């Protein structure tokens, strides 16, 4: 029996890395996938690979009109939304003293406001149709472990953790569950530059108790658990998928 048979799942940032793998794993468990990304060619290519049914949507999650259109496409095509994964995210590296307001706003807009907009639009649809759905937010271990040069990214990821807990509380009466994954270092295009430097990669691996860099599949498997029936009594949780890195950062 497939775990997500007949479920409709919206995955944002599905053209690349973790989002792409989540979309593929959900589809392999029978879900109909709405693959959304600003990179339309990327989600179009992915949707053609998925045999169980998928639709590609070009959407910038930080733009309300795009989010409304994304949800409408899901409803028009499949009639409901059971699952949302707020995965779309960006990061830049900047010293706090040099960080410009525009750069701060851009990262907060995509990573945090985007998740707020998608969660609200999707949750309203779920409530209207009495769908007992599941929402997963992709935060980061840097939502609770500070570091330098990424205050905007880390603040956005910290906000996602509280968005998770508060929406979990507000949506529980409708039997909509909301959980969060906090990945550590995962091998995706977002980390391509740094992982391409052998000494940096080696020192990163040494810091991880399980002594390896994570794969997108590691995060996708956790997401599958959180949207499946197996986690039906779990809401408001933040699950690290980090090989133990956050135990001694
Ligand atoms: P990725 O490979 O860069 O994929 C992110 C995807 O999101 C890209 O296709 C990107 O398109 C898209 N995107 C960017 N801005 C968007 C927007 N405004 N609206 C819709 N889509 C947008 O990154 P990843 O490593 O898979 O990261 C996925 C999530 O995991 C992110 O939220 C990230 O912060 C989080 N995370 C990653 C790691 C890690 O080590 N990789 C660790 C902790 C948390 P473009 O490529 O065109 O920009």
């Amino acid at each position: 029996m497939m775990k997500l048979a007949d479920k409709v799942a919206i995955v944002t940032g599905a053209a690349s890395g973790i989002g792409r793998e989540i979309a593929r794993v959900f589809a392999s468990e029978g879900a109909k996938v709405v693959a959304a990304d600003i990179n339309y060619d990327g989600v179009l290519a992915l949707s053609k690979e998925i045999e169980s049914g998928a639709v590609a949507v070009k959407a910038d999650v930080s733009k309300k009109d795009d989010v409304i259109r994304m949800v409408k496409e899901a409803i028009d095509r499949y009639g409901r939304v059971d699952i949302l994964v707020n995965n779309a995210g960006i990061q830049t590296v900047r010293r706090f003293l040099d960080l410009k307001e525009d750069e701060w706003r851009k990262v907060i807009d995509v990573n945090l406001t985007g998740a707020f907009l998608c969660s609200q639009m999707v949750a309203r649809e779920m409530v209207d149709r009495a769908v007992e759905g599941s929402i997963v937010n992709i935060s980061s271990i840097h939502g609770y472990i500070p570091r330098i040069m990424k205050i905007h990214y880390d603040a956005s990821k910290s906000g996602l953790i509280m968005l998770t807990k508060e929406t979990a509380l507000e949506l529980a009466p409708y039997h909509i569950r909301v959980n969060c994954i906090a990945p550590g270092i995962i091998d995706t295009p977002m980390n391509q530059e740094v992982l391409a430097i052998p000494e940096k990669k080696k020192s990163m691996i040494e810091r991880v108790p399980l002594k390896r860099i994570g794969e997108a599949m590691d995060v996708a498997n956790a997401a599958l658990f959180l949207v499946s029936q197996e986690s039906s009594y779990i809401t408001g949780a933040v699950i690290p998928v980090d090989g133990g890195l956050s135990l001694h950062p």
Side-chain angles (χ1 to χ4, degrees):
M1 176 68 181
M2 289 205 274
K3 290 180 180 164
L4 304 181
D6 302 325
K7 300 287 184 197
V8 178
I10 297 179
V11 181
T12 70
S16 171
I18 292 169
R20 187 179 169 83
E21 200 57 37
I22 290 174
R24 284 155 51 113
V25 166
F26 284 10
S28 74
E29 288 292 341
K32 307 254 183 281
V33 175
V34 178
D37 205 292
I38 43 171
N39 173 0
Y40 182 65
D41 289 344
V43 274
L44 191 61
L46 172 69
S47 69
K48 287 179 181 157
E49 274 178 35
I50 293 179
E51 286 167 11
S52 58
V55 58
V57 179
K58 182 173 171 65
D60 177 341
V61 294
S62 67
K63 296 197 172 130
K64 191 173 176 182
D65 289 348
D66 281 19
V67 173
I68 290 171
R69 192 171 36 75
M70 174 186 83
V71 176
K72 187 174 179 309
E73 287 226 25
I75 300 291
D76 288 351
R77 176 69 79 101
Y78 298 122
R80 57 193 275 133
V81 182
D82 300 277
I83 293 164
L84 166 68
V85 181
N86 285 310
N87 165 79
I90 53 171
Q91 71 167 348
T92 61
V93 182
R94 196 79 56 206
R95 271 163 40 100
F96 169 62
L97 293 176
D98 300 329
L99 183 61
K100 300 267 196 308
E101 183 184 344
D102 281 357
E103 193 171 348
W104 165 272
R105 284 191 190 278
K106 172 84 182 157
V107 170
I108 298 286
D109 266 7
V110 174
N111 296 7
L112 183 56
T113 310
F116 158 71
L117 291 171
C118 293
S119 298
Q120 192 179 56
M121 300 301 160
V122 167
R124 283 176 178 163
E125 280 297 335
M126 288 173 173
V127 169
D128 285 352
R129 286 162 212 273
V131 169
E132 298 187 355
S134 175
I135 299 174
V136 173
N137 296 317
I138 308 298
S139 175
S140 162
I141 58 168
H142 296 295
Y144 43 85
I145 299 170
R147 60 186 162 171
I148 57 167
M149 310 276 272
K150 290 192 184 162
I151 185 171
H152 44 337
Y153 179 87
D154 295 354
S156 75
K157 294 298 184 181
S158 189
L160 265 181
I161 291 174
M162 197 50 87
L163 182 82
T164 301
K165 294 184 182 188
E166 303 234 354
T167 51
L169 275 176
E170 288 212 32
L171 297 174
Y174 305 98
H175 300 278
I176 297 168
R177 299 184 298 111
V178 188
N179 291 291
C180 182
I181 296 173
I185 309 164
I186 311 295
D187 187 356
T188 71
M190 186 181 265
N191 283 330
Q192 216 163 32
E193 268 176 43
V194 65
L195 291 175
I197 305 165
E199 314 84 71
K200 286 221 169 152
K201 184 171 180 179
K202 190 164 172 276
S203 81
M204 280 176 155
I205 292 171
E206 274 163 12
R207 284 169 49 215
V208 180
L210 288 181
K211 298 293 174 230
R212 70 172 173 90
I213 301 293
E215 301 292 333
M217 180 63 97
D218 294 313
V219 182
N221 284 335
L224 174 62
F225 170 68
L226 288 174
V227 302
S228 72
Q229 194 53 29
E230 288 163 2
S231 63
S232 63
Y233 201 53
I234 300 178
T235 195
V238 182
I239 299 189
V241 178
D242 65 357
L245 182 59
S246 57
L247 296 172
H248 69 166

